């Protein structure tokens, strides 16, 4: 069977530094993609209708949902590092297609490759980092390490937003695409530097199949109530604000600011989750009641900020997103603490699939509510699920 790595507390800080340096480099490059802020423009300029663009986003989500759990089980059955460097190469191929032969079917294939890449990395990265920290006797650092990595990724997104415009003006979509492909290749190179010390199988024993690993992981969820609760908390926190983020440009535009001001207010919103990620080390001792209070306060800030309809209100939305991100990272850390290393990627992927499914439901609900309400009102409505989750956590405050 697949085994967790043996702890080696005598290694010191050198191993942790190598792991975190690789992780932060990987996180930055993985999100430093100049196509991110402009690919919707590429689709529109190619002549795609709004329906076609929406169908591409749906295809992207469905690909991730279908492959999320199987890829997590695969990561537990084989090498997690392998999946982390193969994935960015798939995305590079997709981005190359977008700018070389821009068309609906090229965009669709690119999104399928991107969805596969997301599924391969989801679960595998968290599992690899946690197990390596555990091997080094530093599992208690997981929340702050993964929080900082996510903050680095958000800084990379903001940097890409700032550079995409000048590069697009200089060389058009081919230049933006070439830069994005190069960054994906560099991400794969950095991923090969991740340490991985898992023992694949016991001597003389056949490797566990992906299906067997998946069954064992799901059996652990049914057997252990604490694992089940931690697994459900991840999508309960991450799905709603992750979906709302896609509509923030529309919320910002409804404040009445000039079009050229919209990107700057979007950067303000991104600062919130970045700070929330950095605060995970300080907040990692929070118990259920503490997490519930943070969620309730963030929900209140989201509702008030969205209903204000002003740039100041956007600041409150950023504060809310920061709180959601903080709890999101801590929820992931609690899940990692409660599962066995041998099934870690599998169960993390189950949580990610739950997040993806809930996110699609939020997209549908947003479209229905938004048909008769403004964006500020819709954002305020979606503060309610967080108040419900906060109430559940406060009831379970003894956990």
């Amino acid at each position: 069977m697949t085994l967790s790595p043996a702890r080696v507390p005598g290694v010191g800080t050198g191993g942790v530094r190598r792991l975190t340096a690789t992780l932060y480099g990987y996180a930055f490059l993985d999100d430093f993609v100049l196509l991110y802020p402009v690919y919707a423009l590429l689709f529109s300029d190619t002549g795609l209708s709004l329906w076609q663009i929406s169908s591409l986003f749906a295809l992207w989500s469905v690909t991730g949902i279908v492959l999320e759990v199987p890829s997590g089980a695969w990561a537990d059955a084989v090498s997690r590092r392998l999946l982390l460097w193969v994935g960015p190469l798939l995305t590079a191929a997709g981005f190359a297609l977008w700018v070389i032969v821009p068309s609906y079917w090229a965009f669709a294939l690119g999104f399928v490759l991107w969805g596969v890449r997301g599924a391969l990395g989801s679960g595998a990265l968290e599992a690899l980092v946690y197990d390596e920290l555990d091997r080094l006797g530093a599992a208690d650092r997981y929340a702050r390490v993964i929080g900082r990595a996510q903050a680095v990724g958000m800084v990379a997104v903001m940097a890409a937003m700032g550079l995409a415009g000048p590069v697009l003006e200089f060389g058009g979509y081919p230049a933006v695409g070439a830069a994005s492909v190069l960054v994906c290749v560099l991400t794969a190179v950095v991923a090969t530097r991740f340490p991985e010390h898992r023992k694949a199988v016991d001597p003389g024993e056949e490797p566990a199949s992906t299906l067997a690993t998946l069954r064992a992981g799901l059996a652990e969820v049914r057997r252990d109530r604490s694992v089940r609760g931690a697994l459900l908390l991840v999508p309960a926190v991450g799905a709603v604000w992750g979906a709302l983020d896609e509509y923030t440009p529309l919320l910002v535009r409804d404040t009445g600011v000039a079009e050229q001001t919209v990107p700057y207010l979007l950067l303000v919103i991104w600062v919130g989750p970045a700070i929330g990620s950095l605060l995970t080390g300080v907040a990692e001792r929070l118990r259920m009641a503490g997490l519930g209070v943070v969620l309730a306060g963030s929900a209140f800030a989201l509702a008030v900020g969205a209903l204000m309809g002003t740039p100041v209100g956007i600041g409150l939305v950023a504060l809310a997103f920061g709180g959601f991100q903080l709890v999101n990272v801590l929820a992931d850390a609690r899940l990692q603490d409660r599962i066995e290393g041998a099934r870690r990627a599998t169960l993390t992927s189950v949580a990610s699939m739950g997040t993806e499914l809930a996110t699609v439901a939020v997209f549908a609900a947003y479209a229905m509510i938004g048909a008769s309400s403004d964006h500020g009102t819709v954002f305020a409505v979606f503060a309610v699920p967080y108040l419900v989750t906060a109430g559940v956590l406060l009831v379970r405050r003894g956990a």
Side-chain angles (χ1 to χ4, degrees):
M1 61 182 177
T2 306
L3 299 176
S4 301
R7 296 186 180 183
V8 284
V11 167
T13 61
V16 174
R17 287 175 180 170
R18 177 194 168 188
L19 173 64
T20 55
T22 304
L23 174 63
Y24 299 155
Y26 181 87
F28 183 88
L29 291 171
D30 195 35
D31 281 320
F32 186 59
V33 178
L34 301 194
L35 269 172
Y36 283 177
V38 300
Y39 62 72
L41 300 178
L42 171 61
F43 302 158
S44 180
D45 291 346
T46 304
L48 269 61
S49 67
L50 181 59
W51 179 89
Q52 288 176 310
I53 294 174
S54 298
S55 70
L56 291 174
F57 292 152
L59 178 63
W60 185 20
S61 296
V62 169
T63 302
I65 290 170
V66 169
L67 296 178
E68 185 70 57
V69 175
S71 68
W74 189 25
D76 281 333
V78 293
S79 168
R80 295 161 181 170
R81 180 172 56 197
L82 171 66
L83 272 58
L84 293 176
W85 70 257
V86 168
L89 297 181
L90 297 178
T91 311
F95 289 161
L97 280 174
W98 285 5
V99 295
I100 294 173
V101 285
S103 63
Y104 178 83
W105 294 110
F107 298 147
L109 180 55
F111 268 121
V112 169
L113 292 172
W114 196 355
V116 174
R117 180 265 179 275
L120 291 179
S122 177
L125 178 64
E126 294 88 348
L128 184 148
V129 172
Y130 190 94
D131 278 349
E132 287 300 315
L133 286 173
D134 190 36
R135 185 184 73 89
L136 297 168
D140 59 328
R141 302 188 193 182
Y142 174 81
R144 72 191 73 173
V145 167
I146 210 73
R148 289 171 183 171
Q150 294 189 16
V152 168
M154 292 171 189
V155 170
V157 170
M158 291 187 281
M161 287 180 177
L163 286 177
V167 174
L168 184 64
E169 184 177 357
F170 172 76
Y173 292 118
V176 174
S180 301
V181 170
L182 176 61
V183 167
C184 289
V185 173
L186 291 176
T187 305
V189 171
V190 171
T192 64
R193 301 297 302 163
F194 273 116
E196 187 174 24
H197 295 86
R198 298 166 67 228
K199 292 172 62 179
V201 292
D202 290 332
E205 186 177 351
E206 290 295 324
S209 68
T210 299
L211 182 58
T213 302
L214 175 57
R215 287 174 174 170
L218 295 179
E220 184 176 346
V221 174
R222 292 192 297 269
R223 182 177 63 253
D224 193 327
R225 182 179 178 182
S226 67
V227 172
R228 186 164 60 249
L231 188 146
L232 291 173
L233 182 60
V234 173
V237 176
V240 174
W241 81 271
L244 291 180
D245 177 60
E246 300 297 330
Y247 299 97
T248 51
L250 303 176
L251 179 69
V252 170
R253 189 172 61 184
D254 278 1
T255 64
V257 299
E259 290 289 332
Q260 58 267 31
T261 306
V262 171
Y264 297 108
L265 289 178
L266 291 177
L267 286 175
V268 171
I269 292 178
W270 273 89
V271 167
I275 293 176
S277 295
L278 292 173
L279 290 176
T280 52
V282 178
E284 60 187 351
R285 295 183 181 275
L286 288 176
R287 298 178 65 83
M288 287 295 186
L291 296 182
V293 170
V294 173
L295 277 185
S298 300
F300 180 77
L302 176 66
V304 173
L307 291 174
M308 286 176 66
T310 66
V312 174
I314 295 301
L316 287 177
V317 173
L319 179 64
F321 278 17
F324 298 147
Q325 170 66 4
L326 172 65
V327 179
N328 202 52
V329 175
L330 294 177
D332 171 56
R334 286 174 179 266
L335 176 61
Q336 302 303 329
D337 284 339
R338 283 165 171 74
I339 59 183
E340 298 177 4
R343 321 295 178 207
R344 191 173 306 284
T346 302
L347 296 184
T348 304
S349 288
V350 170
S352 296
M353 186 185 71
T355 301
E356 291 289 344
L357 287 170
T359 298
V360 172
V362 173
F363 285 149
Y366 196 106
M368 294 176 59
I369 301 171
S372 57
S373 304
D374 59 54
H375 294 289
T377 300
V378 182
F379 269 65
V381 168
F382 278 107
V384 175
Y386 284 114
L387 291 175
V388 173
T389 302
V392 172
L393 292 178
L394 289 170
V395 169
R396 296 184 57 201
R397 60 185 178 273

